[in-house]
Amino acid sequence: MANAASGMAVHDDCKLKFLELKAKRTYRFIVYKIEEVQKQVVVEKLGEPGQTHEDFAASLPADECRYAVFDFDFVTAESCQKSKIFFVAWSPDTARVRSKMIYASSKDRFKRELDGIQVELQATDPTEMDLDVFKSRVN
């Protein structure tokens, strides 16, 4: 298990599932949660390949912080099918202050464990990570 700067460990499953998303496209998205008692980041939810951005947004709790990775498919202006892997730091305004601080202080170290992230988004409410935001960030 890797150790994040804030003392958070990163469960091996976090990296393994990310590698499956990146290399095999086994998942559309992965939601990660910090288990404060065990002081480690764990996989909370896996999105099937057929799931959409809407399913992804619905999987993030309204009042708790999470990290997430989303494999975003898009078509370029030249009509090429492409995808980019987004890292989303979800920190809603309604989350506990302590939780926001823990997620903020662990984010960079956790993100470094996931080699292959192409775009990062910070979101405090659903409008900051809607489909149009993803589309605007791929170019």
Side-chain angles (χ1 to χ4, degrees):
M1 266 192 249
N3 200 6
S6 64
M8 280 302 150
V10 177
H11 194 280
D12 293 337
D13 217 26
C14 294
K15 286 192 281 188
L16 293 172
K17 297 296 182 202
F18 177 76
L19 289 171
E20 289 176 25
L21 176 142
K22 184 173 86 167
K24 302 178 190 161
R25 306 195 78 193
T26 312
Y27 311 107
R28 171 66 57 202
F29 62 85
I30 305 170
V31 178
Y32 300 98
K33 173 183 184 175
I34 291 178
E35 289 286 354
E36 288 184 38
V37 178
Q38 291 101 335
K39 293 198 180 325
Q40 70 175 351
V41 182
V42 296
V43 172
E44 181 181 54
K45 183 173 173 61
L46 299 167
E48 296 302 316
Q51 290 191 289
T52 64
H53 177 273
E54 215 168 86
D55 298 319
F56 166 67
S59 71
L60 295 171
D63 55 358
E64 290 179 41
C65 299
R66 293 291 186 271
Y67 299 129
V69 172
F70 185 78
D71 187 4
F72 182 64
D73 292 324
F74 62 99
V75 179
T76 65
E78 297 81 35
S79 299
C80 292
Q81 185 74 35
K82 289 197 169 180
S83 78
K84 286 211 174 178
I85 297 174
F86 278 72
F87 178 86
V88 179
W90 173 243
S91 184
D93 292 329
T94 53
R96 293 183 353 257
V97 172
R98 175 176 162 70
S99 177
K100 288 194 240 187
M101 289 172 63
I102 290 170
Y103 274 82
S105 65
S106 303
K107 182 188 75 167
D108 288 338
R109 180 69 177 88
F110 177 61
K111 210 173 82 179
R112 278 198 299 273
E113 296 290 325
L114 307 178
D115 185 37
I117 288 169
Q118 295 158 304
V119 184
E120 181 183 340
L121 284 181
Q122 291 271 133
T124 57
D125 74 67
T127 62
E128 293 177 0
M129 57 166 203
D130 66 15
L131 203 50
D132 292 334
V133 173
F134 275 72
K135 287 176 182 171
S136 72
R137 294 293 300 273
V138 294
N139 298 326

